[in-house]
Amino acid sequence: MESIPYKIYLSENELPQAWYNLRADMINKPAPLLNPATLKPMTAEELAPVFCKELIEQELDDTTPFIPIPQEIRDFYKMYRPSPLVRAYCLEKALDTPAKIYYKFEGGNTSGSHKLNSAIAQAYYAKKQGLKGVTTETGAGQWGTALAMACGYLGLDCHVFMVKCSYEQKPFRREVMRTYGATVTPSPSNTTAVGRKILEEFPDTSGSLGCAISEAVEAATTQEGYRYVLGSVLNQVLLHQSIIGLESKTALDKYGVVPDIIIGCAGGGSNLGGLIAPFMGQKLRNEADYRFIAVEPASCPSFTRGKFAYDFCDTGMVCPLAKMYTLGSGFIPSANHAGGLRYHGMSSTLSQLYHDGYLEATSVKQTDVFKAAELFARVEGTLPAPESSHAIRVAIDEALRCKETGEEKTILFGLTGTGYFDMVAYEKFHDGLMTDYVPTDEDIQASLSELPKVDL
Amino acid sequence: MESIPYKIYLSENELPQAWYNLRADMINKPAPLLNPATLKPMTAEELAPVFCKELIEQELDDTTPFIPIPQEIRDFYKMYRPSPLVRAYCLEKALDTPAKIYYKFEGGNTSGSHKLNSAIAQAYYAKKQGLKGVTTETGAGQWGTALAMACGYLGLDCHVFMVKCSYEQKPFRREVMRTYGATVTPSPSNTTAVGRKILEEFPDTSGSLGCAISEAVEAATTQEGYRYVLGSVLNQVLLHQSIIGLESKTALDKYGVVPDIIIGCAGGGSNLGGLIAPFMGQKLRNEADYRFIAVEPASCPSFTRGKFAYDFCDTGMVCPLAKMYTLGSGFIPSANHAGGLRYHGMSSTLSQLYHDGYLEATSVKQTDVFKAAELFARVEGTLPAPESSHAIRVAIDEALRCKETGEEKTILFGLTGTGYFDMVAYEKFHDGLMTDYVPTDEDIQASLSELPKVDL
């Protein structure tokens, strides 16, 4: 066997031809989205005013295992994919661990994260449908940037509602979106009815993803020729993100490497769901076994402290209900620098897998995350995003456990993005001003008590 | 011949084994550095208090064509090299040009630019010499970040004097450097004699590279166990940066592609000198011919409006004299967002080549540069640094000329870095607030009148 390089690059013709639809291999399928008015499963017709047609088909399809990637999307992917799979030799050396650590690096494009994988797909289907534009929300700003890039490329109008605290902490993110021609509005805003209502009730709110979603959905459904697109949580997003896992597996297979543990940060689940997809498929088909670990912030612990139940996807309660691990749609996490992990719920697919015991979850505190981020930056070079650093933290912890036990485990984690726009957070960390807020049981009980009552 | 992919990646074992020393093939060698006190060529002994020993050898060696890259440096290079050579298919399509455009992308590492290529080399030799640390200056912050990364990796102390206007415009750059453990001081500062002197004379100065160099040299020579390192201008830097051109040539050769025009932005010359090195070597040996174009900002036009003469490398006049195209060491360019191109002089090697007619030069205005940057970002995805965008501007102009004439020229340019830390500049551009300052002939004459008098 050839020795393993620092970076494994696949060639352009090894770019996957099809996305992998994990749901096709699940015995217990993720529960359907429900119409909030009727509490019946949403039909394609009911979803059509909000979402693009072909994306609805992908959203509802839980039987087709492979969905071909259109050539136009593959051409766009070639601008930044296949992304490198990196052997973290320097991190292994710094930790003095017998573990072998790999990471799939998705931050090598201007959006700074994996979000572009689904952004270009969603923008492509919107364009194909003849729409004028799309609306969306963004937290950390990575999804918004990705969508702005995709829309700029295809000539689609792009309107982004950006969670207010991110908008203020990351003014430069806004300028990147503007460079790609997008309109960016801080959320909650006065431009929508739901925004005005939230502002009346909580004038000092720093916003939340759930609230920005409500505004973006309203903006899409009240304008001719617009639809709403979303960067996480939905099945279609996990489908598009499966390209992360597919490439990772092809790269590892080339060198005969089989991971023991696969680790991803989890906000809405887009990265984790994409990274684990083909490996989880093998596990579901009893072809192989892996440990999967979802890592979430202690400040927003939907898997580890939430409830598996139907809930609203947004604060304004205008979206369909999804069955998922949730902290309640009214849960507003404290200011945390991993803006991309501040969502109250979790992908239905991942929630079902977690519920069925295929997936573990753990939560980590912010300062521990930044300690890991700084170590990683110094030895591996790349400055990681706070979100990604949650996975780094647990990968390091697992590698240190191997050091104690002497086990030579192979660890794969997702390095979802870079931290260039997170320097305010790094500054707080350097200056010792970073806090570790963890919600109390009462906080969580309060928001969970507002869950909608659904009997199926 | 295989069809050319969007990105040509070399494998790890195609990483160059040696740097190429362009001076070995020059008939008219670049003029030696002079001792400012004696006006005699600086000896290795005289340079020893300022620079590291092995770097001085590299600086003075104008006969050895290939200098092996130590294994430790090659190992570090593997973290981010070989860097991709990209075929700009999308840009070609957007311009509707018959030209074939390639760019070597050096921004895929956390320092955001090619500067890391020389930073790790200089830090390595400092470490090997047993030094405690190094000092340097930084303009745009890319060199400082690169040096901080290299020193963080090797465990060396790193003290960066950052040009004040960049320090203020780019606070996040400072935090990246701190993440890697560096100390960052805005220049001019009160921490050095030369800084205090400059502040007394010009209390409102926004600083300059020349002035930050003076401070860094003073800080290095007045502390035990420190030396000064520099990210551009010097021969040793061009030597290390030759890896850009060597990889580019290997990648092009693989596909039988021969460039007609090679374009690079030019501040002190590190990127341009590195990119063109092996191609210029062929031209000097009469083995091939290429057009080489240096692109500088109209606000700091050392090639196009400067004088080929001995001058101080720094404002404080503590450094050796170099023979180069210069605007005078007292020339302070107006605020321009390409902080990395605000140096009053130019590499001696490139200056000699320009003087001897091997190299063309042109200057471009800031708003034209940002128009090119925005177009490039939208169609090629990557958000370019303002410095790099100077080369993009001229590459686009040449490609548009091909459209007029129908010529299918092959254009290669250096995409030296990303613009994530330049969003203030992009914001000004979006808001129509960007200015195009060009110095008057009187401005330039005034600073040129202060050139030191040297008769050799």
Side-chain angles (χ1 to χ4, degrees):
Chain A
M1 187 63 61
E2 222 181 315
S3 79
I4 295 164
Y6 278 64
K7 287 168 296 169
I8 306 175
Y9 278 109
L10 300 178
S11 70
E12 207 169 278
N13 49 31
E14 290 172 297
L15 192 73
Q17 304 274 347
W19 293 302
Y20 169 58
N21 184 6
L22 180 58
R23 288 165 290 161
D25 282 311
M26 289 171 69
I27 300 158
N28 297 331
K29 306 287 185 191
L33 295 172
L34 297 188
N35 185 319
T38 65
L39 297 186
K40 294 252 173 355
M42 293 287 282
T43 62
E45 292 68 35
E46 288 170 329
L47 289 167
V50 180
F51 296 112
C52 303
K53 202 169 153 294
E54 282 194 64
L55 292 167
I56 294 170
E57 286 169 27
Q58 294 179 356
E59 189 63 30
L60 300 179
D61 183 346
D62 58 12
T63 55
T64 312
F66 287 96
I67 294 178
I69 306 175
Q71 187 57 44
E72 293 86 342
I73 297 177
R74 295 187 78 235
D75 282 345
F76 186 89
Y77 278 165
K78 286 176 191 168
M79 285 167 55
Y80 70 102
R81 306 202 70 83
S83 68
L85 182 79
V86 186
R87 172 74 184 269
Y89 283 116
C90 298
L91 181 61
E92 291 171 17
K93 197 177 154 199
L95 299 175
D96 189 23
T97 173
K100 290 164 182 52
I101 308 174
Y102 294 83
Y103 57 91
K104 179 70 167 170
F105 180 46
E106 292 288 323
N109 68 77
T110 286
S111 80
S113 85
H114 67 294
K115 295 288 185 184
L116 198 51
N117 302 330
S118 187
I120 184 60
Q122 298 191 44
Y124 166 79
Y125 291 115
K127 177 86 177 175
K128 199 177 159 199
Q129 193 175 328
L131 297 175
K132 271 190 237 167
V134 290
T135 69
T136 199
E137 79 296 330
T138 197
Q142 291 166 336
W143 165 247
T145 309
L147 190 68
M149 286 177 70
C151 289
Y153 180 82
L154 295 171
L156 268 181
D157 192 25
C158 178
H159 189 168
V160 181
F161 290 86
M162 188 169 186
V163 176
K164 197 184 270 173
C165 67
S166 292
Y167 186 91
E168 286 163 2
Q169 272 175 23
K170 302 185 176 186
F172 296 165
R173 273 275 176 209
R174 180 193 67 217
E175 290 309 318
V176 181
M177 292 186 245
R178 283 180 80 196
T179 301
Y180 288 92
T183 308
V184 189
T185 307
S187 168
S189 77
N190 281 313
T191 68
T192 65
V194 64
R196 287 187 292 271
K197 185 164 164 255
I198 292 167
L199 279 174
E200 259 171 48
E201 211 168 335
F202 309 100
D204 297 327
T205 178
S206 60
S208 71
L209 271 179
C211 151
I213 293 174
S214 302
E215 291 205 84
V217 170
E218 181 182 323
T221 50
T222 53
Q223 285 179 93
E224 185 69 26
Y226 283 76
R227 291 295 184 283
Y228 167 70
V229 296
L230 176 62
S232 193
V233 183
L234 294 178
N235 295 321
Q236 60 190 265
V237 177
L238 268 70
L239 174 72
H240 306 146
Q241 295 296 357
S242 68
I243 197 161
I244 304 172
L246 292 166
E247 284 183 10
S248 299
K249 188 158 187 318
T250 303
L252 290 173
D253 284 351
K254 266 192 152 172
Y255 291 88
V257 175
V258 180
D260 298 296
I261 310 174
I262 303 176
I263 301 167
C265 60
S270 69
N271 150 68
L272 180 69
L275 175 68
I276 69 174
F279 303 98
M280 181 62 86
Q282 287 182 294
K283 184 162 174 165
L284 289 166
R285 298 188 304 269
N286 293 311
E287 294 167 8
D289 196 14
Y290 306 98
R291 267 186 77 196
F292 298 102
I293 308 177
V295 189
E296 50 188 20
S299 60
C300 194
S302 36
F303 265 144
T304 49
R305 296 177 66 195
K307 193 172 162 184
F308 188 42
Y310 265 106
D311 195 7
F312 290 98
C313 293
D314 62 325
T315 311
M317 305 182 183
V318 301
C319 286
L321 303 181
K323 190 171 179 191
M324 57 185 177
Y325 279 85
T326 179
L327 295 161
S329 68
F331 181 81
I332 297 196
S334 68
N336 172 296
H337 294 289
L341 304 182
R342 297 179 79 235
Y343 186 61
H344 68 276
M346 183 60 66
S347 142
S348 288
T349 300
L350 294 179
S351 292
Q352 187 65 50
L353 290 167
Y354 180 63
H355 186 69
D356 292 343
Y358 287 98
L359 181 66
E360 302 168 32
T362 187
S363 74
V364 287
K365 287 188 185 170
Q366 187 164 229
T367 49
D368 291 334
V369 165
F370 274 81
K371 277 178 206 158
E374 188 164 274
L375 171 65
F376 184 84
R378 290 194 188 182
V379 300
E380 286 289 319
T382 300
L383 185 82
E387 292 82 1
S388 323
S389 304
H390 286 68
I392 296 175
R393 175 74 267 167
V394 172
I396 288 176
D397 291 343
E398 290 293 333
L400 290 174
R401 206 157 292 141
C402 287
K403 186 179 172 179
E404 279 174 30
T405 63
E407 288 173 290
E408 289 187 28
K409 287 193 180 161
T410 297
I411 298 168
L412 167 65
F413 73 89
L415 187 67
T416 56
T418 49
Y420 302 122
F421 294 103
D422 297 285
M423 296 321 297
V424 167
Y426 275 94
E427 185 174 8
K428 285 211 170 142
F429 174 68
H430 296 146
D431 294 341
L433 300 174
M434 185 167 273
T435 53
D436 275 325
Y437 174 83
V438 178
T440 63
D441 287 340
E442 289 70 33
D443 291 339
I444 292 177
Q445 282 315 315
S447 57
L448 284 178
S449 68
E450 305 287 324
L451 286 182
K453 305 220 178 324
V454 177
D455 295 310
L456 276 187
Chain B
M1 185 65 61
E2 222 182 313
S3 78
I4 294 165
Y6 278 64
K7 286 167 296 167
I8 306 175
Y9 277 109
L10 301 177
S11 70
E12 205 168 279
N13 49 31
E14 289 172 298
L15 191 74
Q17 303 273 347
W19 293 301
Y20 168 58
N21 184 5
L22 180 57
R23 289 165 290 160
D25 281 311
M26 288 170 70
I27 300 158
N28 297 331
K29 306 286 184 190
L33 295 172
L34 298 188
N35 184 319
T38 65
L39 297 186
K40 295 255 178 334
M42 293 286 284
T43 61
E45 292 68 37
E46 287 170 331
L47 289 166
V50 181
F51 296 113
C52 305
K53 204 170 152 293
E54 283 195 62
L55 291 168
I56 295 170
E57 286 170 26
Q58 294 179 356
E59 190 63 29
L60 300 178
D61 183 346
D62 58 11
T63 54
T64 311
F66 288 97
I67 294 178
I69 306 174
Q71 187 56 45
E72 293 85 342
I73 297 177
R74 295 187 77 237
D75 283 344
F76 186 88
Y77 278 164
K78 286 175 191 168
M79 284 166 57
Y80 70 102
R81 307 202 69 83
S83 68
L85 182 79
V86 186
R87 171 75 183 267
Y89 283 116
C90 299
L91 181 61
E92 291 171 19
K93 196 177 156 199
L95 299 175
D96 188 23
T97 174
K100 290 163 182 55
I101 310 174
Y102 294 83
Y103 57 92
K104 179 71 167 169
F105 180 45
E106 292 288 324
N109 68 76
T110 287
S111 80
S113 83
H114 66 294
K115 294 289 184 182
L116 197 51
N117 301 330
S118 186
I120 185 60
Q122 297 192 45
Y124 166 79
Y125 292 115
K127 177 85 175 176
K128 199 177 159 199
Q129 193 176 327
L131 297 174
K132 270 190 238 167
V134 291
T135 69
T136 199
E137 78 296 330
T138 198
Q142 292 165 336
W143 166 247
T145 309
L147 190 68
M149 286 176 70
C151 288
Y153 180 81
L154 295 171
L156 268 180
D157 192 25
C158 178
H159 190 167
V160 181
F161 290 87
M162 188 169 186
V163 176
K164 197 185 273 172
C165 66
S166 292
Y167 186 91
E168 285 163 3
Q169 273 177 21
K170 302 185 176 187
F172 295 166
R173 273 274 176 209
R174 180 194 66 218
E175 290 309 318
V176 181
M177 292 186 245
R178 285 180 80 197
T179 301
Y180 289 91
T183 307
V184 190
T185 306
S187 166
S189 77
N190 280 314
T191 68
T192 65
V194 65
R196 287 187 293 271
K197 188 166 163 253
I198 292 167
L199 279 174
E200 258 170 49
E201 213 170 333
F202 310 100
D204 297 327
T205 178
S206 59
S208 73
L209 271 179
C211 151
I213 293 173
S214 302
E215 291 205 84
V217 170
E218 181 182 323
T221 50
T222 54
Q223 285 178 92
E224 185 70 26
Y226 283 77
R227 290 295 183 283
Y228 166 71
V229 296
L230 177 62
S232 193
V233 184
L234 295 178
N235 295 320
Q236 58 189 268
V237 177
L238 268 71
L239 174 73
H240 306 146
Q241 295 295 358
S242 68
I243 196 160
I244 303 173
L246 291 166
E247 284 183 9
S248 300
K249 189 156 185 321
T250 303
L252 290 173
D253 284 351
K254 266 192 152 172
Y255 290 89
V257 175
V258 180
D260 298 295
I261 310 174
I262 302 175
I263 301 166
C265 60
S270 68
N271 148 67
L272 180 70
L275 174 68
I276 68 174
F279 303 99
M280 182 61 86
Q282 288 182 296
K283 185 162 173 165
L284 289 165
R285 298 188 304 269
N286 292 311
E287 295 168 7
D289 196 13
Y290 306 98
R291 268 186 76 196
F292 299 102
I293 309 178
V295 190
E296 50 188 21
S299 60
C300 194
S302 36
F303 264 144
T304 50
R305 296 177 67 196
K307 195 173 161 185
F308 189 42
Y310 266 106
D311 194 9
F312 291 98
C313 293
D314 63 324
T315 312
M317 305 183 184
V318 301
C319 287
L321 303 181
K323 189 171 180 191
M324 57 184 178
Y325 278 86
T326 179
L327 295 161
S329 67
F331 181 82
I332 297 197
S334 68
N336 173 296
H337 294 289
L341 305 182
R342 298 179 79 237
Y343 185 61
H344 69 275
M346 182 60 67
S347 142
S348 289
T349 299
L350 293 179
S351 292
Q352 187 65 48
L353 290 166
Y354 180 63
H355 185 70
D356 292 344
Y358 287 99
L359 179 68
E360 300 168 34
T362 187
S363 74
V364 287
K365 288 189 186 171
Q366 185 163 229
T367 49
D368 291 334
V369 165
F370 274 83
K371 277 178 206 159
E374 189 165 273
L375 171 66
F376 183 85
R378 291 195 187 181
V379 300
E380 286 288 321
T382 300
L383 184 83
E387 293 82 2
S388 322
S389 303
H390 286 67
I392 296 175
R393 173 75 268 167
V394 173
I396 288 176
D397 291 344
E398 290 293 333
L400 291 175
R401 206 158 291 140
C402 287
K403 185 180 173 179
E404 280 174 29
T405 62
E407 287 173 292
E408 288 187 27
K409 287 193 180 159
T410 297
I411 298 168
L412 167 65
F413 72 88
L415 187 68
T416 55
T418 49
Y420 301 122
F421 293 102
D422 297 286
M423 296 322 296
V424 167
Y426 275 94
E427 184 174 9
K428 285 210 170 140
F429 174 69
H430 296 147
D431 294 340
L433 300 174
M434 184 166 275
T435 53
D436 275 325
Y437 174 83
V438 178
T440 64
D441 288 339
E442 290 69 33
D443 291 340
I444 292 177
Q445 283 314 316
S447 57
L448 284 178
S449 69
E450 305 287 325
L451 287 181
K453 304 217 181 325
V454 178
D455 295 311
L456 274 189

